[in-house]
Amino acid sequence: MTATVLVLVETINEYLPIIESNDFHVILAPTPTERAEAIKAHGSQINAVLTRGPLGLYAEEIAALPLLEIICVIGAGYEHVDLQAASNRGIVVTNGAGVNAPSVADHAMALLLSLVRGIPQTDAAVRRHEWPKVMRPSLGGKQLGILGLGAVGLEIAKRAALGFGMEVSYHNRQPRDDVDYTYCATAVELARTSDFLILATPGGASTRHLIDRHALDALGPNGYLVNIGRGSVVVTADLVAALEQRRIGGAALDVFDDEPKVPDALKKLGNTVLTSHVAGLSPEAAHDTVQRVADNLVEYFAGRPVLTPVALPPPNK
């Protein structure tokens, strides 16, 4: 059987031959309209779906795909994939945890440097024929807190410790026994010990609003926040208030609650750096993530265990 794969991701067209070369038929539907039309027109033929966390795959869509057997998510997050609906049908879900970690870590450090050193503001001033001389903090020797020490968090920690001589602390659900970094029992404790706080945790109910007013006040007026995890990890209203009132030094954000919508309040502030959820995008990461999808599809349709399964809840009976 030649399996049919519905591709909902909008940034990987150049790499789709990796999937097609394994004898899979691809249907490309990167916009909401194309997605709905593809499911309506080809739903009875689709065996696999390729998506990413913010795009997800919803229960009603799963119900409209009677031959669906496997959902492959690019990247680590799968917050908008209905895992319960998948489990109820016996559908396998995979992700790409760790594959794009180097790219995301690079972007996190770029955001941190841009934010702390005021790069966008100085660039804009020079373009206005100004020549500002503003003292900005250095990264060397500072305290870096990482919320979520998974594959991405580890890559960030490596860059911060080895490249900038920073002291690294972290918060996870459980402490790791394979690192020497300092563990903090809560997000608030981590913020309190940090000069710079990077959020690298996945989205979902377990991490929703971990960073609220209490954590932001713990970070303090000289502290800086970087989020390359998920927008849902932060209470956006609390963050906007903290930035407006200068209760934190600034924030650099690659992720937002309702992408691609970004609150106007964040755009108007002078102590923010904003990017369009591009941390995981690089030619190397795109190739490797699509290759991981292809490998999982090959293994699954050959009757072998997939390489990176996502744990599913028990099916509802």
Side-chain angles (χ1 to χ4, degrees), residues 4 18 22 31 48 73 104-105 125 144 177 224 230 234 249 267 275 278 281 286 297 305:
T4 297
I18 296 173
N22 288 280
T31 70
V73 184
V104 178
L144 176 68
D177 58 9
Y224 294 83
R230 287 293 185 265
V234 182
K267 297 177 185 177
T275 57
V278 294
L281 300 185
L297 290 172

Side-chain angles (χ1 to χ4, degrees), residues 85-315:
S87 176
N88 293 346
R89 283 263 307 276
I91 296 168
V92 171
V93 180
T94 70
N95 71 350
V99 177
N100 66 353
S103 176
V104 178
D106 287 349
H107 196 79
M109 296 306 295
L111 284 176
L112 181 61
L113 283 163
S114 295
L115 176 67
V116 174
R117 298 296 299 172
I119 302 300
Q121 296 85 352
T122 306
D123 175 85
V126 171
R127 293 172 189 272
R128 294 192 301 266
H129 309 290
E130 300 169 6
W131 201 250
K133 299 290 185 181
V134 180
M135 290 284 190
R136 306 290 304 204
S138 172
L139 269 61
K142 296 296 177 59
Q143 298 287 329
L144 176 68
I146 301 175
L147 184 67
L149 200 67
V152 171
L154 284 172
E155 289 288 333
I156 294 169
K158 180 172 66 176
R159 285 158 175 72
L162 297 179
F164 294 91
M166 301 175 78
E167 298 293 330
V168 176
S169 302
Y170 72 99
H171 171 68
N172 272 358
R173 284 175 292 183
Q174 299 292 333
R176 298 184 61 136
D177 58 9
D178 58 345
V179 298
D180 294 328
Y181 308 126
T182 302
Y183 176 73
C184 295
T186 67
V188 172
E189 179 187 340
L190 178 67
R192 186 175 295 115
T193 65
S194 300
D195 297 305
F196 314 124
L197 178 61
I198 298 182
L199 312 183
T201 186
S206 64
T207 61
R208 180 173 174 79
H209 290 174
L210 278 178
I211 302 301
D212 56 9
R213 174 166 186 151
H214 299 294
L216 294 168
D217 285 344
L219 185 60
N222 296 316
Y224 294 83
L225 176 79
V226 174
N227 190 3
I228 44 79
R230 287 293 185 265
S232 61
V233 178
V234 182
V235 181
T236 300
D238 290 355
L239 176 60
V240 170
L243 289 165
E244 290 176 337
Q245 298 163 17
R246 302 284 171 163
R247 298 195 334 267
I248 65 171
L253 310 173
D254 186 53
V255 289
F256 305 90
D257 284 321
D258 187 20
E259 297 176 5
K261 297 177 183 176
V262 177
D264 288 339
L266 288 173
K267 297 177 185 177
K268 294 174 183 176
L269 288 164
N271 54 349
T272 59
V273 177
L274 311 174
T275 57
S276 53
H277 202 153
V278 294
L281 300 185
S282 69
E284 299 85 356
H287 175 278
D288 292 348
T289 53
V290 175
Q291 185 65 61
R292 175 63 58 84
V293 168
D295 292 343
N296 273 319
L297 290 172
V298 167
E299 294 303 299
Y300 176 80
F301 286 106
R304 297 186 291 265
V306 295
L307 303 176
T308 51
V310 171
L312 300 180

